[in-house]
Amino acid sequence: MNLVLLLMAFCVGVAFSVQAAVNSQLAMAIGANSVGAALVSFLCGTVVLAAVATARGGVGEAVSAAFSQPFWKLCGGFLGASFVFGTVFLAPRIGMLNLVVLVIAGQLLMSMAIDNFGLVSMAVRKVSGLRMLGALVMVGGVALTLFGDRISAALSR
């Protein structure tokens, strides 16, 4: 794998945490309106994407071709909106750390299923036992992150 691509993926993770925190603060600033903050976030993102897509060219052809696709291929926007709303809503309620570790656990497990079974028309990339063990270790880390203080308190009694 290309080191630059791996670094880019890491930066996406960093951006996710910052985005969730920023959007959560936006929600509080506009009257604790999670839906409104998610909408503003998406509008800002839409403006930036429209500018980049226009500068790159081919927007009309892409949009035209999109309307001939099966409905399920257009659900990414709904999923993205749900993701942004979920982070805005949950971050102040469960904390950034809990939010992020649960999101990562969900992404990890779903990504393994998508790769292993070729779901949503993705290429099949069988998940090895060693990678499953790595995922199990990570899920254990999630459990420690979420419940470590309780476990420690229970053990010290």
Side-chain angles (χ1 to χ4, degrees):
M1 282 184 240
N2 185 325
L3 185 59
V4 172
L5 296 178
L6 295 176
L7 183 58
M8 286 175 66
F10 178 80
C11 290
V12 168
V14 169
F16 160 73
S17 291
V18 174
Q19 176 200 30
V22 167
N23 284 343
S24 177
Q25 291 302 307
L26 175 63
M28 292 303 131
I30 61 172
N33 187 339
S34 300
V35 175
L39 176 63
V40 170
S41 178
F42 257 77
L43 288 174
C44 292
T46 299
V47 168
V48 170
L49 285 174
V52 171
T54 301
R56 190 166 182 240
V59 176
E61 296 84 0
V63 170
S64 177
F67 287 112
S68 65
Q69 299 302 309
F71 176 74
W72 70 268
K73 289 185 179 180
L74 303 177
C75 289
F78 168 75
L79 294 170
S82 299
F83 180 78
V84 170
F85 168 74
T87 62
V88 171
F89 181 79
L90 292 169
R93 288 167 176 81
I94 66 173
M96 284 299 300
L97 181 59
N98 290 340
L99 172 66
V100 170
V101 297
L102 288 166
V103 166
I104 290 170
Q107 289 173 330
L108 176 71
L109 297 174
M110 192 67 221
S111 297
M112 285 177 60
I114 289 170
D115 274 356
N116 195 64
F117 302 112
L119 302 177
V120 291
S121 301
M122 294 296 290
V124 173
R125 292 180 178 90
K126 289 294 180 188
V127 177
S128 68
L130 195 54
R131 291 180 111 188
M132 284 187 195
L133 178 61
L136 200 62
V137 167
M138 191 153 174
V139 169
V142 168
L144 283 175
T145 301
L146 293 173
F147 307 112
D149 292 339
R150 290 182 197 163
I151 293 169
S152 178
L155 291 175
S156 66
R157 286 187 220 160

